[in-house]
Amino acid sequence: MGILSAYAVPHPPLIVPAVGRGEERAVQRTIDSYHEIARRIARHKPDTIVVSTPHAPLFRDCFFVASGESSYGDMSRFRVRDRGIRVAHDIELVSMLVRTARERHVPLVSDEWRSRELDHATFVPLYFVNQYYTDYRLVRVGLSALPPRDHHGVGRCISYAVERLGRRCVFLASGDLSHKLSVDGPYGFAEEGPQFDSQITRIFADGNLDCLFDFDERFCEEAAECGLRSFQIMAGALEGQRFSSELLSYEGPFGVGYGVAAFEVEGSGYGDA
């Protein structure tokens, strides 16, 4: 029991065919990697999937965790009337997470009213997961303006709460990389963009997640990165575990970096030595 695996995944809306309308073929390697991760999750058969997402409610001085019975999301904000996703929350694990955070003095708040809508950075990963496996409940955690080590602390709380309840859990760290890879992209180009993506993908490949906490804040701002704090929560959740690491793919055809990486915990069926 515990965290069986963790995956770093991007969340471009166009990767959903109804949104991309053919443009998604430009990120086919990302799509293929997503299907591989979804198949692995199905083999793990987790009770719960925990998602850290940059597009949940974001607070300056605390972290958000979704509460209530369930959340619903679709792609209507991207002018698509496609079938949405409703997913039940793991209410017991949310409660244990809030309790654990309180014990460890980590500022974490649950808000049922803000929990009703599933953000697109959660919808996109679950869109692929649900094609292979649906027998899970969700815990959705947001980021904060607090320092990196506070994000690490949230990850530790997640791991401890999962272990206290004996859950079989998979962690999804949703986050794009730099948004400044190309002069033709929507955010333009900065030399820090490719540099940031090169460093992140190296960390993903090597599995040295402690290096996620070494980034300079100004450098990250210039790179216009999206997912670093989400990956830092993941690093906290994996701390103390022995795991394999694999960079499954990296692409950036639209000026935004999309990295997919897998971290399989030893003993889970994939990360065994």
Side-chain angles (χ1 to χ4, degrees):
M1 302 296 183
I3 293 180
L4 307 171
S5 61
Y7 307 101
V9 292
H11 48 252
L14 64 77
I15 205 171
V16 177
V19 178
R21 299 180 182 180
E23 288 189 53
E24 70 276 8
R25 288 191 290 269
V27 288
Q28 188 61 49
R29 284 182 294 169
T30 301
I31 292 171
D32 293 343
S33 296
Y34 246 125
H35 282 290
E36 170 62 19
I37 281 174
R39 286 190 291 266
R40 293 191 189 191
I41 291 173
R43 291 170 190 165
H44 280 307
K45 293 181 168 51
D47 304 313
T48 305
I49 294 177
V50 176
V51 178
S52 57
T53 163
H55 294 287
L58 185 139
F59 303 116
R60 179 181 59 82
D61 56 357
C62 64
F63 296 89
F64 165 86
V65 59
S67 59
E69 294 289 335
S70 65
S71 294
Y72 174 84
D74 57 32
M75 291 282 102
S76 58
R77 64 176 295 193
F78 300 101
R79 301 180 181 179
V80 168
R81 295 187 179 277
D82 201 7
R83 187 170 67 179
I85 293 174
R86 180 169 294 281
V87 58
H89 297 150
D90 189 334
I91 299 172
E92 189 179 8
L93 183 53
V94 169
S95 178
M96 180 59 74
L97 176 57
V98 171
R99 173 183 168 186
T100 300
R102 186 181 304 116
E103 292 170 352
R104 296 186 170 210
H105 307 290
V106 173
L108 179 76
V109 296
S110 60
D111 186 325
E112 185 170 348
W113 184 80
R114 294 173 186 264
S115 302
R116 297 172 183 174
E117 182 179 354
L118 204 63
D119 63 279
H120 80 272
T122 304
F123 179 96
V124 170
L126 296 187
Y127 167 82
F128 288 94
V129 171
N130 284 7
Q131 295 178 47
Y132 297 85
Y133 185 73
T134 58
D135 190 20
Y136 65 88
R137 289 170 293 173
L138 177 69
V139 173
R140 181 166 56 108
V141 178
L143 313 183
S144 171
L146 290 167
R149 284 296 164 184
D150 289 289
H151 289 75
H152 176 274
V154 171
R156 296 304 303 136
C157 289
I158 291 169
S159 178
Y160 188 56
V162 166
E163 291 173 1
R164 288 173 89 170
L165 291 180
R167 290 287 195 269
R168 293 176 55 84
C169 178
V170 164
F171 193 104
L172 289 173
S174 182
D176 298 337
L177 304 187
S178 171
H179 285 60
K180 290 190 175 181
L181 300 181
S182 171
V183 293
D184 298 326
Y187 302 92
F189 175 80
E191 62 181 13
E192 291 86 353
Q195 293 171 6
F196 177 86
D197 283 14
S198 176
Q199 293 178 42
I200 287 288
T201 52
R202 188 182 309 116
I203 290 169
F204 285 169
D206 295 342
N208 188 7
L209 301 185
D210 286 344
C211 292
L212 291 170
F213 300 92
D214 295 339
F215 284 88
D216 177 76
E217 183 177 354
R218 179 65 181 274
F219 172 76
C220 291
E221 290 177 357
E222 293 298 326
E225 62 83 20
C226 166
L228 179 59
R229 288 171 292 173
S230 184
F231 307 146
Q232 289 169 344
I233 295 176
M234 177 186 71
L238 286 174
E239 186 174 84
Q241 304 266 32
R242 296 185 63 183
F243 54 85
S244 64
S245 58
E246 182 180 6
L247 178 65
L248 296 176
S249 63
Y250 170 76
E251 296 179 293
F254 305 114
V256 179
Y258 305 137
V260 182
F263 308 93
E264 303 288 349
V265 174
E266 290 188 8
S268 68
Y270 282 97
D272 298 355

